Amino acid sequence: MLSGEAVADPNFANIVHDIALLNSLGVRLVLVHGSRPQIEERLQQKQIGTRLHHHLRVTDQDTLTCVIEASAIVRAEVEARLSLGLPNTPMAGSRIKVVSGNFVTAKPVGVLDGVDMAHTGQVRRLDSDAIRQQLDDGNIVLLSNLGYSPTGELFNIAAEDVATCTAAAVQAEKLILFGADQGVKDSSGQLRSELLTRKAERLVAQYLSSLQDSDKPHTELSRHLEAAVNACRSGVNRCHLISYKEDGALLGELFTRDGEGTMVLQESYEKLRQASIEDVGAVMELIQPLEQDGTLVRRSREVLENEIERFTLIERDGVVIGCAALYPFPEENMGELACVVVSAEYKGGSRGDKLLTAIEKQATDAGLEQLFVLTTKTAHWFVERGFSEHKVEQLPSEKKAIFNLQRNSKVFVKSL
């Protein structure tokens, strides 16, 4: 979804280049554009006042004329940009086909608390089959903030409503919302790269309750966050809030692990799981730097293949970024915590603690009473988490028999 503000922004040309690149990669794209500032500009030119009710624009006949004009101008601008194929530009030689049409059937909002909203509408249904057919043909589908009724009327619809309903109707993998803000920030001003739907829903509810006795228009960020929540609740896997002011934000959000904005999703895409034989290569790649600097004992691929099911992994968007292993010694009611590793890119996010908690639960479930670890360089980390130093003689006999004196590892034990 591209708001009218996004289309008017100087960075829009760069956004179009990124859209063209995605199209060339075979990504199936539906673009929904708004036209709020363009509508306001035409209303001011014609000296027509803006009337809001329940945070919605009341669209009388004169206002509808301005809405149609503004939407047509924005649509033409988007189509023109996507048609650009000049030499020495990122779109040189591109042949993008853009298709618009009456894909959106609208219905009137009607009368709200005694106020006739006139031509203000909402989505009634989407011709999802026709949209999919255009996508199958390699076309980009362009939708506006206008909807059409079976009686031939036009309705002014919020672009967020069109985008959300369309994403759900075509079972989109992602809904991407361009706004002025980079995304959602916490109380300290830090960008939230990920937000679960239930948390986003609470934030929207808190904001709306603060406007209960006001008829001010909702902020752009609140509209986008609410749209993301509605889309996720309607089956869209992920929604992304990114800035139209930032060059490369679209590609950065899609093709880097942490993205450039805020992703709203039903469940965290960073999860703990047990390893399987398919994970051997990923674990080897993860632990190799620590084997090279002597922090970890080297493990051959054959050893890892035999022991991989002892490993617990942290997976982030399909990539293994952390691991830890549990080796039980049931005769002594002890377990060894080994190979605790978090990728250097993701340290500082309590992931090591998550791995430790998972291993402790596994050990407890197995009836073990103590957890021990051998370490040469990370003693303080374990001490801070309840481990205390013990002598080698207190290790299980099987482990003691293969203890490597040359490494001179320290032994730390924690009671469970």
Side-chain angles (χ1 to χ4, degrees), residues 95-162:
R95 294 290 183 270
I96 297 174
K97 287 189 253 182
V98 185
V99 176
S100 301
N102 58 340
F103 298 108
V104 181
T105 300
K107 61 182 178 181
V109 169
V111 178
L112 292 179
D113 292 340
V115 176
D116 185 356
M117 302 300 290
H119 293 278
T120 299
Q122 56 193 39
V123 175
R124 181 177 180 181
R125 65 174 178 268
L126 270 295
D127 193 344
S128 55
D129 290 338
I131 292 174
R132 285 198 196 94
Q133 182 60 59
Q134 295 299 330
L135 297 176
D136 289 342
D137 291 342
N139 301 327
I140 290 179
V141 175
L142 178 62
L143 306 178
S144 73
N145 56 299
L146 289 174
Y148 308 86
S149 76
T151 58
E153 293 179 279
L154 269 73
F155 289 96
N156 178 27
I157 310 175
E160 293 84 3
D161 187 18
V162 177

Side-chain angles (χ1 to χ4, degrees), residues 183-195:
V184 179
K185 295 183 178 179
D186 61 23
S187 56
S188 66
Q190 290 293 312
L191 180 69
R192 296 285 299 269
S193 64
E194 177 188 322
L195 203 60

Side-chain angles (χ1 to χ4, degrees), residues 105-340:
T105 300
K107 61 182 178 181
V109 169
V111 178
L112 292 179
D113 292 340
V115 176
D116 185 356
M117 302 300 290
H119 293 278
T120 299
Q122 56 193 39
V123 175
R124 181 177 180 181
R125 65 174 178 268
L126 270 295
D127 193 344
S128 55
D129 290 338
I131 292 174
R132 285 198 196 94
Q133 182 60 59
Q134 295 299 330
L135 297 176
D136 289 342
D137 291 342
N139 301 327
I140 290 179
V141 175
L142 178 62
L143 306 178
S144 73
N145 56 299
L146 289 174
Y148 308 86
S149 76
T151 58
E153 293 179 279
L154 269 73
F155 289 96
N156 178 27
I157 310 175
E160 293 84 3
D161 187 18
V162 177
T164 301
C165 293
T166 306
V170 301
Q171 298 176 312
E173 180 68 24
K174 295 174 181 289
L175 169 60
I176 298 166
L177 301 131
F178 279 92
D181 294 302
Q182 191 178 0
V184 179
K185 295 183 178 179
D186 61 23
S187 56
S188 66
Q190 290 293 312
L191 180 69
R192 296 285 299 269
S193 64
E194 177 188 322
L195 203 60
L196 293 182
T197 307
R198 58 181 180 271
K199 173 65 174 175
E201 206 164 23
R202 287 199 298 270
L203 291 176
V204 170
Q206 289 169 9
Y207 173 76
L208 295 182
S209 66
S210 71
L211 293 181
Q212 203 164 19
D213 300 323
S214 167
D215 212 20
K216 292 181 183 178
H218 294 169
T219 64
E220 180 186 67
L221 183 59
S222 71
R223 294 196 309 267
H224 288 187
L225 194 57
E226 186 173 20
V229 169
N230 292 337
C232 284
R233 295 296 187 216
S234 300
V236 179
N237 288 334
R238 296 174 186 174
C239 297
H240 303 259
L241 277 61
I242 58 176
S243 174
Y244 58 73
K245 296 178 178 293
E246 186 178 344
D247 186 14
L250 177 58
L251 299 182
E253 180 68 11
L254 295 181
F255 297 116
T256 63
R257 231 173 273 166
D258 290 326
E260 296 289 336
T262 298
M263 178 170 66
V264 180
L265 68 167
Q266 288 285 11
E267 299 297 336
S268 177
Y269 76 141
E270 185 172 300
K271 61 185 179 182
L272 278 169
R273 65 172 178 86
Q274 290 303 116
S276 65
I277 191 67
E278 289 80 13
D279 297 307
V280 170
V283 172
M284 288 190 72
E285 186 178 342
L286 183 65
I287 67 178
Q288 189 177 38
L290 296 180
E291 290 179 340
Q292 291 175 344
D293 71 10
T295 301
L296 295 178
V297 177
R298 289 185 181 273
R299 288 171 171 80
S300 67
R301 187 179 189 94
E302 183 180 5
V303 168
L304 263 180
E305 287 176 354
N306 290 329
E307 299 178 349
I308 192 64
E309 292 182 359
R310 299 192 182 280
F311 279 74
T312 296
L313 308 179
I314 296 181
E315 183 182 77
R316 183 179 178 87
D317 205 20
V319 178
V320 175
I321 64 167
C323 69
L326 173 65
Y327 295 87
F329 296 87
E331 290 187 6
E332 289 90 348
N333 290 327
M334 298 183 77
E336 180 183 8
L337 168 64
C339 209
V340 182

